[in-house]
Amino acid sequence: MTAKILDGESLATKIREEVANQAAKLRAQGIIPGLGTILVGDDPPSARYVAMKHADCAEVGIESIHEHLPADITQGDLMSAVERFNSDTRVHAYLVQLPLPASLDEEEVLLSVDPAKDVDGLHPVNLGLLVMGHPRVLPCTPAGILELLSANGIDLAGRHVVVVGRGLTIGRPLALLAALKRPGCNAAVTVVHTGVPDMAEHVRRADIVIAAAGHAGLVTRDMVKPGAVVVGAGTSWEGRKLLSDVDEAVGEVAGWITPRIGGVGPMTRAMLLRNAISAAMHSSATNPDAMYSDAMYSDAMYPAIVDSKAT
Ligand code: GUN
């Protein structure tokens, strides 16, 4: 391994400290920040992810409010759970852990989350604001990746970023974010996916490769330009072992690389906390004037993507 390591764990620790300070300030004002989670079924990786989110919340002083629903729940009962969280004043922000069992309509669920409580940034209103160039709450993994690159002095401006994967939670919003006319962004972005037969040809031309396909070992050493930055964001599981989309040997040619453990994962979780505390700070109960304003997306919250004048 010759590549330098993009250490998400230590950056996430700093972000958790910032969030803990913000949570303490809210608590001093009598506001207990609350993150809701809805888990449907017993998929072990999903259950592990949700448990980690609760542990993170406990560490930083955010209350977690959890609903664990059976895998055979009806769409109607799931929608009732969503409505309960929409109206529960303890819940400033929440998420429905994805993927849902195949019998359920994921899109209907995402559409029904109150956009002001959408900690994932996946409601069409929030995705639409990102498309318009005025994001309010950013999807956690894309935001975490940009923070991690920025903290290591890697500027995307004018560089060729190849995103592998077009999924809703990572690839698609990340491509939009990286191309925004904003400091820290301004990249030339290519998105490759299962519909692109010569994927490797595109990846070879990348200055920065972001693998977000959820296909273990998809990006191999021969596909990477020497010195390129390689971020493994997509994951899959072999039993309890977390696998990366990036083959280990890529570390021999890349300039920078995320580790399989302690790279993007902790950053995603840190951004979730940041979005949750931001929602609590800007909820109508806390601060009615700040609702739907740019305040929720400030340089204080997202230093990597400064919410200043476009460049
Ligand atoms: N499952 C995998 N990634 C995500 C995510 O970003 N949000 C939610 N809600 N579920 C996920």
Side-chain angles (χ1 to χ4, degrees):
M1 160 87 76
T2 52
K4 285 184 272 188
I5 296 294
L6 291 161
D7 179 359
E9 191 60 67
S10 60
L11 182 56
T13 299
K14 279 192 214 145
I15 293 167
R16 283 198 301 274
E17 283 164 10
E18 288 165 20
V19 173
N21 286 336
Q22 288 160 327
K25 278 188 197 145
L26 285 177
R27 281 174 177 263
Q29 295 167 39
I31 298 155
I32 297 172
L35 174 73
T37 56
I38 297 178
L39 174 65
V40 183
D42 296 297
D43 173 53
S46 291
R48 280 198 287 277
Y49 283 131
V50 170
M52 286 193 285
K53 290 166 188 173
H54 291 169
D56 290 341
C57 284
E59 182 189 324
V60 301
I62 295 177
E63 192 97 341
S64 32
I65 300 108
H66 183 51
E67 288 233 22
H68 187 184
L69 305 171
D72 61 357
I73 194 170
T74 63
Q75 183 75 18
D77 285 347
L78 175 56
M79 297 304 285
S80 299
V82 167
E83 285 311 322
R84 277 197 296 281
F85 271 6
N86 281 345
S87 53
D88 188 336
T89 51
R90 294 172 306 157
V91 176
H92 294 105
Y94 71 97
L95 62 95
V96 180
Q97 185 67 29
L98 304 175
L100 290 172
S103 57
L104 295 167
D105 182 346
E106 210 161 270
E107 200 170 301
E108 189 186 7
V109 171
L110 290 176
L111 281 164
S112 305
V113 171
D114 177 347
K117 293 191 175 189
D118 171 28
V119 75
D120 275 329
L122 297 180
H123 187 280
V125 165
N126 291 322
L127 287 173
L129 287 166
L130 171 60
V131 172
M132 292 174 80
H134 301 285
R136 184 180 59 192
V137 55
L138 289 176
C140 302
T141 303
I145 291 169
L146 260 60
E147 284 285 342
L148 186 57
L149 295 175
S150 166
N152 286 281
I154 298 163
D155 190 359
L156 268 58
R159 315 225 15 227
H160 185 198
V161 173
V162 174
V163 180
V164 182
R166 57 182 159 184
L168 180 68
T169 54
I170 313 180
R172 198 168 297 198
L174 177 61
L176 288 164
L177 184 56
L180 280 189
K181 194 171 181 179
R182 274 170 191 255
C185 304
N186 283 310
V189 180
T190 300
V191 183
V192 295
H193 42 73
T194 47
V196 179
D198 60 346
M199 181 192 89
E201 280 308 302
H202 294 278
V203 175
R204 261 182 219 112
R205 288 196 287 271
D207 301 313
I208 298 163
V209 182
I210 302 175
H215 186 301
L218 181 65
V219 174
T220 50
R221 184 195 155 117
D222 59 300
M223 290 184 196
V224 172
K225 182 165 80 176
V229 177
V230 181
V231 175
T235 53
S236 47
W237 293 85
E238 191 177 70
R240 288 183 67 90
K241 184 175 180 193
L242 182 72
L243 305 177
S244 169
D245 282 8
V246 178
D247 189 75
E248 224 171 285
V250 171
E252 294 158 18
V253 292
W256 288 90
I257 197 164
T258 50
R260 183 175 62 84
I261 305 281
V264 173
M267 288 303 298
T268 297
R269 286 160 49 202
M271 292 299 123
L272 183 84
L273 297 174
R274 193 181 260 179
N275 284 350
I277 205 75
S278 178
M281 284 159 58
H282 297 99
S283 81
S284 52
T286 314
N287 183 0
D289 295 337
M291 279 287 286
Y292 290 82
S293 77
D294 259 1
M296 197 163 160
Y297 184 83
S298 68
D299 40 346
M301 298 307 292
Y302 292 99
I305 313 139
V306 181
D307 189 22
S308 59
K309 290 190 178 60
T311 56

